Amino acid sequence: MKIVCDNKIPFLQGVFEPYAEVVYLPGRDTTAELVRDADAIVTRTRTKCDAALLEGSSVKVIATATIGFDHIDTTWCEGHGILWRNAPGCNSWSVKQYAASLFAFLRHKYGFAFSDLTLGVVGVGNVGSKVAQVGRALGMKVLLNDPPRERREGPEQFCSLDKILEQSDIITLHVPLIRSGEDATWHLFDEAMIDRLKPGQILINAARGPVVDDSALKSALKRGSIRGAVLDCWEGEPDLDPELVDLLDITTPHIAGYSADGKANGTIASVHTVAEVLGLPLTDWKPEFMPLPPQPLRFGLDASGKSRDEVLCEAIEHTYKVEEDSDLLRDNLDSFERLRGDYRIRREMSCFTIDLKGASDDCAEALRKLDFKLVIQ
């Protein structure tokens, strides 16, 4: 039995070795020759799993340790008896933390109060739903746009994209990449859509790079026709446009979902998929330990004399400061893949306990909705 694995998937080394020959290598280096006699592929987004890679191979299962699966030709795989699975929701809590830190940064930069803002969430799946939770916990008004869910569930909790564009101060994108059809998202924010944005609005893409036309976004930022923008994912990544980077509020190397917890969830899902298909005794496997972050998992926070926004931002930024990742990428634009592959240890907000003093009941409840554990002093 042979299993080919992306060497940047954490917690994986040593798991399959008792049962199979295991080959680890960078995802971009996976070749048809290498997988010809393989039974399984465990991958991330950097391996294009299509006919060119898989034709004539013995691969039975492809497990991607990611939410996104546009790197897999699902139609071809299904037509050739290859089971594929992604890891839906695996890093949604990590993106929740990324969004919380991002909103805290934008508050500092632009001096707004959360209660004055309307957040428009485009794509309300596992990830978008949690980003909406952040917006509500912080005190924003939240608008939701998700046409597939609206068709299934009714219009009550959803609104049109036109309303998002008309009323939102911050628009954040969390859609899958779909290239055609009724719900196509490729260049969802193209030149025409970006031209409809207003000077006071901020656009965030933490979905897939091609959801936004980066060239059109750059033009809008240069004209000053929108307030700002944030990109965690890019067209043509890992090759970035330095001019666009300089215009952005925050720029990160596709790591919104890269907490240690989120990556562990993706690895767990992949191991379970391969174990199920190949009959390995690993269907209950999980990592034996999780790494500790540099900051303490328990910390004190005295809310006395502080505003609600200040308390929430202080708690969020204890766990993660998104601007640190942004600064690191700006200083190392040619190291996009290295910054992703060797990403620092980041633990999600649910891992942290706050010894909280002097906070209102409303503030404490907001911290709980952000997933913190509280010990009220």
Side-chain angles (χ1 to χ4, degrees):
M1 195 175 294
K2 178 179 176 181
I3 302 174
V4 175
C5 302
D6 188 306
N7 67 353
K8 293 301 184 181
I9 297 176
F11 311 108
L12 190 58
Q13 294 205 15
V15 175
F16 291 124
E17 277 77 350
Y19 315 102
E21 173 193 355
V22 186
V23 178
Y24 298 97
L25 77 168
R28 289 184 178 275
D29 295 343
T30 305
T31 63
E33 181 180 358
L34 184 67
V35 306
R36 185 168 292 116
D37 60 344
D39 297 277
I41 298 173
V42 183
T43 187
R44 301 184 303 152
T45 57
R46 292 302 186 249
T47 303
K48 184 68 173 176
C49 298
D50 56 10
L53 181 71
L54 300 165
E55 185 77 67
S57 76
S58 57
V59 172
K60 302 175 182 67
V61 56
I62 299 169
T64 183
T66 59
I67 291 176
F69 55 89
D70 50 280
H71 54 294
I72 301 174
D73 186 336
T74 58
T75 302
W76 191 93
C77 288
E78 290 163 6
H80 290 78
I82 299 175
L83 184 142
W84 66 271
R85 281 188 193 154
N86 62 327
C90 66
N91 63 3
S92 55
W93 288 272
S94 178
V95 182
K96 181 177 182 178
Q97 178 190 38
Y98 180 93
S101 181
L102 179 57
F103 298 150
F105 170 84
L106 293 173
R107 172 187 171 272
H108 294 318
K109 179 170 182 176
Y110 292 110
F112 48 61
F114 290 130
S115 60
D116 293 337
L117 298 180
T118 296
L119 175 68
V121 181
V122 181
V124 196
N126 284 310
V127 173
S129 296
K130 291 184 176 62
V131 174
Q133 291 171 9
V134 172
R136 294 189 189 102
L138 294 178
M140 301 182 198
K141 178 181 177 181
V142 177
L143 301 176
L144 306 177
N145 171 258
D146 193 309
R149 282 192 61 187
E150 184 174 353
R151 290 195 298 270
R152 293 193 304 268
E153 302 169 27
E156 289 77 14
Q157 63 174 320
F158 301 104
C159 70
S160 67
L161 191 54
D162 287 339
K163 185 173 180 179
I164 294 277
L165 292 170
E166 178 64 29
Q167 298 188 12
S168 300
D169 300 289
I170 300 174
I171 300 171
T172 183
L173 310 180
H174 303 285
V175 295
L177 179 60
I178 302 172
R179 294 190 175 273
S180 61
E182 181 180 12
D183 298 313
T185 60
W186 186 85
H187 277 197
L188 177 64
F189 274 71
D190 59 7
E191 183 176 6
M193 188 72 74
I194 289 171
D195 283 348
R196 294 176 61 189
L197 295 174
K198 301 173 185 177
Q201 291 179 313
I202 297 171
L203 179 65
I204 300 166
N205 185 11
R208 307 294 286 175
V211 170
V212 172
D213 181 338
D214 285 357
S215 177
L217 177 62
K218 181 172 73 172
S219 295
L221 290 168
K222 290 175 72 172
R223 293 193 307 269
S225 59
I226 63 174
R227 172 179 275 185
V230 172
L231 293 182
D232 179 58
C233 45
W234 306 71
E235 285 196 285
E237 64 181 56
D239 299 319
L240 307 187
D241 178 345
E243 189 177 11
L244 176 56
V245 169
D246 287 342
L247 294 166
L248 296 169
D249 293 295
I250 288 289
T251 169
T252 50
H254 207 152
I255 49 76
Y258 263 39
S259 69
D261 310 87
K263 290 192 285 187
N265 290 337
T267 303
I268 290 167
S270 295
V271 170
H272 291 180
T273 292
V274 171
E276 177 186 328
V277 174
L278 299 186
L280 304 178
L282 294 168
T283 52
D284 295 322
W285 175 86
K286 62 181 181 180
E288 293 182 3
F289 70 94
M290 292 294 293
L292 294 174
Q295 67 274 59
L297 291 175
R298 182 165 180 167
F299 63 100
L301 199 167
D302 187 349
S304 303
K306 298 173 183 174
S307 70
R308 184 181 188 274
D309 285 3
E310 288 172 335
V311 173
L312 298 181
C313 289
E314 184 176 338
I316 292 164
E317 291 174 329
H318 174 87
T319 75
Y320 175 55
K321 290 186 176 182
V322 67
E323 59 267 35
E324 293 177 357
D325 282 334
S326 182
D327 291 343
L328 195 59
L329 180 58
R330 290 183 197 277
D331 292 339
N332 300 273
L333 286 185
D334 59 347
S335 299
F336 189 98
E337 292 285 49
R338 178 180 61 79
L339 294 174
R340 290 188 86 219
D342 299 329
Y343 189 61
R344 59 183 171 140
I345 296 170
R346 169 157 64 98
R347 299 299 303 274
E348 294 167 4
M349 293 182 290
S350 62
C351 300
F352 290 84
T353 298
I354 302 175
D355 293 311
L356 185 64
K357 177 181 178 182
S360 66
D361 291 343
D362 173 67
C363 188
E365 182 59 24
L367 288 167
R368 292 189 183 97
K369 289 179 179 178
L370 291 170
D371 300 329
F372 289 104
K373 301 178 184 69
L374 303 184
V375 177
I376 305 298
Q377 301 294 300

